[in-house]
Amino acid sequence: MNREANIINLGKVVSVRGSVVDIQFDENLPPIYSLLHANKGDIVIEVLAQLDVHRVRGIALTPTQGLARGMAVEDTGGPLNAPVGKGILSRMFDVFGNAIDGQAVPVDVQRRSVHRAPPPLARRSTQSEIFETGIKVIDVLVPLERGGKAGLFGGAGVGKTVLLTEMIHNMIGHQEGVSIFCGIGERCREGEELYREMKEAGVLPNMVMIFGQMNEPPGARFRVGHAALTMAEYFRDDEHRDVLLLIDNIFRFIQAGMEVSGLMGQMPSRLGYQPTMGTELSGLEERIANTDTGAITSIQAVYVPADDLTDPAAAHTFSHLSASIVLSRKRASEGLFPSIDPLQSSSKMATPGIVGERHYRLAQEIRRTLAQYEQLKDIIAMLGLEQLSPEDRNVVARARRLERFLTQPFFTTEQFSGLKGKLVSLKDSLDGCERILNDEFKDYPESALYMIGTVDEAKEKVKTAKPDSKDSSEPIAKPAADAEPKAAPEPQQKVEHAADADES
């Protein structure tokens, strides 16, 4: 909408340098974040700086082919708007709110500015509630918060998108509210596959997807997160519904901001990042909040450059999250999927007051066991398992069985692994971990606990395996102290095949 109904504010292009466009306005200078149209609306420019009383500098949100000096530019009179309303459900959009699913233009929608302030502290809810995912290692060791923010940290190819897609699959059916998937700078193939999977699962009626693909200009990728949040805020504040906001990938948001900052001529900060990175990330993350009317629960994939968790992009993101799930390349190479590192991952929910005394005690015991095993690995590598004390050998046996029990076959990877996906309740997950820590499964082969759901499936696995392969499973079924050196290669071989299947 124009600021004055009958007056069209026109300017002309002064210079074009890639995505950066300088425009001159002789009368009314558009404010920051105003949207400008050139070439009959084909080229969209967002104002990011006012150079003097007559010139503004903007970043193009679309490719600038065909833009030339002297071309007329029209001020739309407002900022970038996102569509909100019931009409956007089950649809797929781009950053401008255009439907990209090949269907008719959505009806019954309003338009709202993507630049909105976070909810004030007085409106925020102070209750803490656990958000179950059905994934054992997350529910036991890194519980998520309803209305909180969880990050999946990992380098390339360790399974961030697979884990995020599995969470969507597990939670979207039980989630009463609305789910919004925001793809920032990711592949269009992933969006198409997700759309098809959600349609087949019958959960599309309560889902909205919005994408800024990696082939789009940095300005569009930078704003797509804000557009998704505007949609989420409508369902939370106007319809009082809980919203599950899934973002893949928050690093691409920071990267787009870095490109925009470089194009605008700002001096880069550490490792080439923009000097305003902290402010830009906070402006996005602080809008994700739990209020008195509803909650926005967010799960975000965070690409970690070169697996370096001290990278400024990862370090800044850590500070906004209630749960940090770190994926490990080493565990992925061993075939332990999901490849979550339990010792580096953490959650603010993992306290006795929130998860309960038993859950907290068990989680601490699991971490302690895995940490002891980690310390003993060097000794095992140099001297062998036989040189450890009987007590340490028991710790190693427990830790290895826990590691394998905390793996899980995913619904989203059934076609690659050939294993049927499993959804495990928190009660069954805690029960299984407790029984392993109490040495109930010390005489079972490690492979029996690998890629199962509840712990009782290990007994079924051993029963069905024994008649066929009695000789091969005998040595592993002996007490862990004698059998561990011989047992190690067999799970490793099986594990590697599973890794190959999953990674493909």
Side-chain angles (χ1 to χ4, degrees):
M1 236 197 313
N2 284 330
R3 287 180 197 88
E4 293 178 40
N6 301 320
I7 298 174
I8 297 174
N9 189 22
L10 289 174
K12 65 177 181 183
V13 176
V14 177
S15 69
V16 184
R17 296 182 305 283
S19 291
V20 179
V21 186
D22 288 358
I23 302 128
Q24 183 168 329
F25 286 87
D26 293 330
E27 292 180 15
N28 301 320
L29 203 65
I32 303 290
Y33 298 143
S34 289
L35 217 59
L36 314 176
H37 284 171
N39 200 14
K40 299 177 185 172
D42 290 342
I43 296 169
V44 183
I45 301 160
E46 186 180 51
V47 176
L48 288 186
Q50 294 177 332
L51 301 178
D52 54 39
V53 290
H54 290 301
R55 286 187 309 144
V56 293
R57 180 167 289 169
I59 194 95
L61 306 186
T62 54
T64 53
Q65 284 93 332
L67 197 63
R69 283 200 305 178
M71 243 186 200
V73 177
E74 184 185 337
D75 176 13
T76 62
L80 179 65
N81 290 320
V84 297
K86 289 183 178 171
I88 67 170
L89 289 170
S90 80
R91 303 302 299 273
M92 192 190 283
F93 298 94
D94 64 10
V95 69
F96 304 109
N98 303 319
I100 53 171
D101 51 8
Q103 296 178 42
V105 176
V107 291
D108 188 27
V109 295
Q110 311 161 32
R111 292 241 163 202
R112 286 191 184 169
S113 166
V114 302
H115 304 283
R116 299 166 67 83
L121 285 174
R123 279 194 53 216
R124 301 207 179 199
S125 170
T126 53
Q127 288 181 326
S128 292
E129 196 183 331
I130 296 299
F131 195 71
E132 272 193 51
T133 64
I135 298 168
K136 290 182 285 193
V137 65
I138 293 176
D139 289 344
V140 172
L141 296 173
V142 203
L144 306 188
E145 180 187 10
R146 184 177 293 279
K149 298 182 276 273
L152 309 177
F153 292 82
V158 292
K160 295 184 300 300
T161 301
V162 169
L163 188 54
L164 189 69
T165 315
E166 183 70 8
M167 284 188 179
I168 295 170
H169 184 283
N170 290 2
M171 291 186 287
I172 216 162
H174 317 296
Q175 168 83 1
E176 302 275 315
V178 179
S179 298
I180 296 177
F181 182 88
C182 174
I184 306 178
E186 288 294 312
R187 303 164 189 83
C188 59
R189 169 182 60 80
E190 290 169 357
E192 189 274 331
E193 285 174 0
L194 182 68
Y195 182 81
R196 195 158 21 85
E197 282 170 16
M198 295 301 117
K199 197 170 186 177
E200 285 167 9
V203 293
L204 209 53
N206 280 325
M207 193 167 186
V208 185
M209 297 186 192
I210 180 165
F211 289 94
Q213 292 159 208
M214 57 168 54
N215 63 318
E216 293 182 28
R221 285 181 272 128
F222 189 53
R223 288 291 174 231
V224 73
H226 297 96
L229 266 166
T230 305
M231 294 173 175
E233 285 165 345
Y234 165 82
F235 289 110
R236 180 191 66 191
D237 301 336
D238 292 40
E239 297 209 356
H240 307 315
R241 295 172 77 174
D242 280 0
V243 182
L244 180 60
L245 177 65
L246 304 133
I247 302 176
D248 188 12
N249 186 305
I250 207 75
F251 172 79
R252 305 289 176 207
F253 167 77
I254 294 170
Q255 192 178 44
M258 178 168 67
E259 290 175 49
V260 169
S261 173
L263 289 166
M264 294 296 290
Q266 292 180 334
M267 185 72 74
S269 176
R270 212 174 120 221
L271 293 182
Y273 287 104
Q274 65 270 41
T276 52
M277 175 171 64
T279 314
E280 289 166 2
L281 188 62
S282 301
L284 186 78
E285 296 279 9
E286 287 304 304
R287 288 169 65 180
I288 302 169
N290 194 352
T291 69
D292 45 14
T293 56
I296 299 177
T297 304
S298 176
I299 298 169
Q300 310 167 6
V302 188
Y303 168 68
V304 181
D307 294 335
D308 178 17
L309 289 169
T310 62
D311 186 88
H316 274 78
T317 311
F318 268 123
S319 60
H320 292 282
L321 305 173
S322 54
S324 303
I325 300 167
V326 179
L327 287 96
S328 152
R329 191 170 301 282
K330 187 169 177 292
R331 290 177 72 82
S333 67
E334 290 170 8
L336 301 172
F337 291 102
S339 56
I340 294 168
D341 187 331
L343 301 177
Q344 282 192 294
S345 304
S346 63
S347 169
K348 292 174 184 170
M349 296 292 100
T351 61
I354 295 170
V355 297
E357 192 63 49
R358 175 179 175 246
H359 184 161
Y360 175 75
R361 183 177 45 76
L362 268 173
Q364 291 298 94
E365 184 61 33
I366 292 164
R367 284 180 194 278
R368 193 179 302 116
T369 305
L370 294 174
Q372 281 177 277
Y373 177 41
E374 201 63 37
Q375 290 171 346
L376 293 168
K377 274 182 180 175
D378 287 344
I379 298 171
I380 296 167
M382 287 187 290
L383 304 174
L385 198 70
E386 305 81 22
Q387 303 303 315
L388 297 180
S389 65
E391 189 184 330
D392 283 345
R393 267 183 278 184
N394 285 336
V395 167
V396 171
R398 274 183 223 123
R400 287 178 66 86
R401 281 165 175 77
L402 277 171
E403 277 184 341
R404 277 143 188 78
F405 176 63
L406 292 175
T407 61
Q408 192 166 337
F410 281 176
F411 292 97
T412 49
T413 57
E414 279 180 16
Q415 56 183 327
F416 306 120
S417 62
L419 299 168
K420 192 170 175 4
K422 298 281 169 64
L423 189 74
V424 187
S425 69
L426 176 61
K427 181 180 174 298
D428 288 338
S429 302
L430 291 172
D431 182 49
C433 291
E434 189 168 44
R435 287 164 70 182
I436 291 168
L437 287 168
N438 291 337
D439 288 337
E440 188 179 321
F441 291 85
K442 69 176 181 180
D443 293 335
Y444 281 73
E446 291 171 1
S447 54
L449 293 157
Y450 178 66
M451 284 292 172
I452 59 171
T454 60
V455 77
D456 289 322
E457 288 178 32
K459 294 182 177 179
E460 296 297 319
K461 216 171 175 183
V462 169
K463 276 180 194 170
T464 53
K466 266 190 177 175
D468 304 324
S469 54
K470 194 175 181 189
D471 296 336
S472 61
S473 62
E474 279 296 325
I476 310 173
K478 286 180 185 174
D482 302 325
E484 208 66 30
K486 295 177 187 175
E490 197 210 326
Q492 188 67 23
Q493 286 164 7
K494 288 186 181 178
V495 156
E496 282 167 7
H497 296 318
D500 294 342
D502 236 340
E503 285 296 303
S504 68

